[in-house]
Amino acid sequence: MSLELDAVTLTYPDGEGRLTALDDVSLTVPPGRLTAVVGPSGSGKSSLLAVAATLVTPDRGRVVVAGTDTAGLDAAGRAALRRTSLGIVFQQPNLLPSLTAAEQLQVMAHLSGRPPKSVRDRAMDLLDAVGLADRAARRPHQLSGGQRQRVNIARALMNEPSVLLVDEPTSALDHERGAAIVDLLATLTRERGTATLLVTHDHGHLSAAAETITLQDGHVTIGTPA
């Protein structure tokens, strides 16, 4: 299932007028494909993620997540869609300090009412996929920054989302660890068939993306800026 934005426009109040954050933005991210979004500060990247995550409703246009047109959903319906079809990797992992790596994942699945046995098995499968099976019993303070971000990614995949939204996952990592995280995201996207939208400021990691989209003042272009 893909992510589709069709002619999306988003504005915010700005004094007596409106500030345009997204201006007639259209894009499609198909399953198994990682699309990177780049652009300067204030270009609309955060607004794009918020709209794609159904956290903000655009003024105009359509947002279709895994075949569901979100315009017809109320707040409860959007929340349910986020639980079942959307995985979000935040810029900061924000792991719960008292929980182990495995428990960070399990708590997400319990919210969906999965049987405990299947929850444990899936958590271990995902930790293995991100190279942390041997760190399953460790708490956040016992993990490096790169390892915490890997737990963050595994947690976002716990409920088998069709769409994965990733916000600046390398901002707190050095170049080598950042490249490893983006390569991991690209691999998981292909293997698990997610439609992945990655916002990043680091042009050095764009080679892992199948497509790069540039935002400038809310307008979208295809390709990496010169």
Side-chain angles (χ1 to χ4, degrees):
M1 293 288 190
S2 63
L3 169 68
E4 300 175 47
L5 274 66
D6 180 21
V8 167
T9 294
L10 175 68
T11 65
Y12 295 109
D14 183 32
E16 296 181 356
R18 306 283 296 183
L19 175 68
T20 300
L22 298 173
D23 190 359
D24 197 35
V25 169
S26 295
L27 63 88
T28 298
V29 185
R33 188 181 182 102
L34 190 153
T35 296
V37 180
V38 297
S41 178
S43 62
K45 299 190 303 297
S46 295
S47 294
L48 179 67
L49 275 187
V51 167
T54 73
L55 297 171
V56 173
T57 301
D59 299 48
R60 295 186 299 277
R62 296 170 65 244
V63 179
V64 182
V65 176
T68 299
D69 189 338
T70 62
L73 301 177
D74 59 12
R78 291 193 297 272
L81 184 70
R82 287 192 292 272
R83 285 196 302 271
T84 59
S85 298
L86 278 167
I88 304 175
V89 179
F90 297 101
Q91 183 173 350
Q92 299 298 327
N94 294 322
L95 302 179
L96 298 170
S98 62
L99 300 184
T100 65
E103 290 166 346
Q104 307 283 344
L105 277 61
Q106 291 174 37
V107 73
M108 295 296 294
H110 285 313
L111 297 175
S112 300
R114 293 190 177 212
K117 179 64 165 61
S118 69
V119 167
R120 287 193 297 272
D121 290 347
R122 179 152 180 81
M124 291 307 300
D125 171 66
L126 283 169
L127 288 175
D128 182 56
V130 300
L132 290 177
D134 61 342
R135 305 289 199 280
R138 296 194 179 184
R139 289 177 170 78
H141 73 278
Q142 298 171 308
L143 300 171
S144 69
Q147 289 169 342
R148 288 193 294 272
Q149 192 61 284
R150 286 171 180 261
V151 174
N152 190 20
I153 293 168
R155 181 176 59 183
L157 292 168
M158 189 64 188
N159 288 333
E160 302 180 76
S162 299
V163 174
L164 186 64
L165 305 175
V166 188
D167 184 16
E168 299 279 12
T170 66
S171 61
L173 304 175
D174 60 34
H175 182 80
E176 182 178 355
R177 289 180 175 85
I181 288 295
V182 176
D183 286 343
L184 173 64
L185 283 165
T187 298
L188 292 171
T189 293
R190 290 191 300 270
E191 292 178 350
R192 296 176 183 268
T194 59
T196 299
L197 189 66
L198 164 70
V199 164
T200 181
H201 68 284
D202 194 337
H203 292 187
H205 300 322
L206 296 182
S207 60
E211 181 178 53
T212 298
I213 290 173
T214 300
L215 276 178
Q216 180 72 47
D217 297 328
H219 295 277
V220 66
T221 59
I222 306 298
T224 309

